[in-house]
Amino acid sequence: MRKARVSVRARSEAPMITDGCQWRKYGQKMAKGNPCPRAYYRCTMAVGCPVRKQVQRCAEDRTILITTYEGTHNHPLPPAAMAMASTTSAAANMLLSGSMSSADGLMNPNFLARTILPCSSNMATISASAPFPTVTLDLTHTPSPLQFQRPTSQFPVPFAAPAQSFPSAQTSPLPQVFSQALYNQSKFSGLQLSQDMESAHQAPPILQQPQPASLADTVSAATAAITADPNFTAALAAAITSIIGGGSAHPNTTINSTANATNSSNTNKISSFPTGN
DNA sequence: CGTATTTGACCTGCGC
DNA sequence: GCGCAGGTCAAATACG
Ligand SMILES: [Zn+2]
């Protein structure tokens, strides 16, 4: 039986993005036709936590890291994470309710819905393919990174819908909440970016980052993101998993987040699992 | 010494 | 039934 899956796609130099959870690696396989191996992790935050995740790097664009979460956490996540969870939950609900009348659509094997959220440069896409329905939150950042708002603001997410009350949240998508989520994700992206840049400009002595005047901003954003990031990812997974997986279906949720997509070409449609790709 | 990672063996579902 | 591909286990190893 398949469980809900949350796939986060982001740019990262690090072998694994920090998501606030502890993971124990239990396997690694070479994806066929992909030079980059796929790593399997288990959550060790709590004993018996069924959550697993697998990390794989995009074959074409090594800078893109695909992290796929599966299962629901057995244990509470950090408070902030919960907040994020709420946010994301709302967002996901919105997605779901937007593409189809209800999450029931996800159970329908034939269903093929696609919803695009016109949120900045980010896109959320729900689509069903193959055996498992797929919710794809495609957040593709425009070429210009570090365009984020002031990094100072935390995420006092005005979430009104707790992660648990997913059924009710469906009716009120709370756009602002969603945008907030996206915002956080932006910061998240910022984090990845900054890492990118750091390692990038540490080789070239003078070659500053392409974005002038934003280094400090970057750092701040990165810092904020680092703080936020964990919550984001973990909560995201938790939230979506709970909403969808918590129902009766076992759809496949994919949050596709590509930051600093200088070339949107690398945004290949990741449907369920990066099989051969 | 306890715990995390590595890595090949093993298991299983699926297509031919 | 066989072979392949994707996942998982677990013994050995690395780490601190
Ligand atoms: Zn967990």
Side-chain angles (χ1 to χ4, degrees):
Chain A
M1 127 176 174
R2 286 268 85 85
K3 307 181 72 177
R5 283 176 181 171
V6 176
S7 178
V8 178
R9 205 152 175 265
R11 274 182 181 273
S12 173
E13 295 281 321
M16 176 172 70
I17 58 179
T18 351
D19 53 6
C21 280
Q22 279 192 328
W23 303 92
R24 187 192 84 243
K25 190 175 185 175
Y26 69 88
Q28 174 168 322
K29 277 291 232 184
M30 290 291 284
K32 203 185 64 170
N34 192 342
C36 313
R38 174 186 303 168
Y40 301 89
Y41 297 87
R42 271 193 131 103
C43 178
T44 56
M45 286 281 283
V47 286
C49 184
V51 175
R52 287 170 300 176
K53 89 167 175 182
Q54 56 183 247
V55 178
Q56 187 180 27
R57 204 164 279 279
C58 194
E60 306 83 29
D61 198 334
R62 306 289 179 85
T63 62
I64 294 185
L65 198 67
I66 306 173
T67 309
T68 306
Y69 299 85
E70 175 175 338
T72 316
H73 281 283
N74 212 3
H75 49 89
L77 285 86
M82 282 291 92
M84 276 307 305
S86 309
T87 306
T88 316
S89 166
N93 276 308
M94 181 168 140
L95 272 177
L96 293 176
S97 56
S99 64
M100 66 215 79
S101 46
S102 68
D104 290 69
L106 287 173
M107 299 168 68
N108 192 334
N110 303 327
F111 123 100
L112 178 73
R114 179 161 282 159
T115 305
I116 301 175
L117 298 189
C119 238
S120 316
S121 48
N122 305 300
M123 273 190 329
T125 309
I126 302 182
S127 60
S129 70
F132 318 114
T134 305
V135 178
T136 307
L137 217 184
D138 196 334
L139 308 135
T140 314
H141 247 242
T142 24
S144 49
L146 294 311
Q147 292 295 358
F148 321 122
Q149 305 66 31
R150 298 312 78 170
T152 34
S153 60
Q154 286 88 351
F155 3 91
V157 190
F159 60 95
Q164 294 76 15
S165 63
F166 46 87
S168 48
Q170 219 164 358
T171 25
S172 40
L174 306 135
Q176 54 182 140
V177 167
F178 187 57
S179 52
Q180 184 67 46
L182 288 179
Y183 171 52
N184 287 315
Q185 287 163 14
S186 298
K187 296 208 281 195
F188 169 74
S189 303
L191 162 67
Q192 308 303 341
L193 219 207
S194 69
Q195 289 184 343
D196 234 52
M197 285 169 49
E198 279 182 358
S199 49
H201 76 63
Q202 87 185 18
I206 331 171
L207 192 276
Q208 298 284 4
Q209 81 285 29
Q211 279 60 40
S214 308
L215 187 49
D217 258 66
T218 307
V219 178
S220 308
T223 309
I226 287 179
T227 325
D229 174 30
N231 310 327
F232 169 67
T233 311
L236 184 95
I240 302 222
T241 294
S242 70
I243 2 179
I244 313 178
S248 39
H250 303 108
N252 185 335
T253 305
T254 299
I255 279 63
N256 196 326
S257 162
T258 306
N260 182 31
T262 317
N263 257 338
S264 53
S265 56
N266 52 32
T267 313
N268 30 19
K269 54 270 179 141
I270 167 182
S271 31
S272 44
F273 252 61
T275 307
N277 109 20

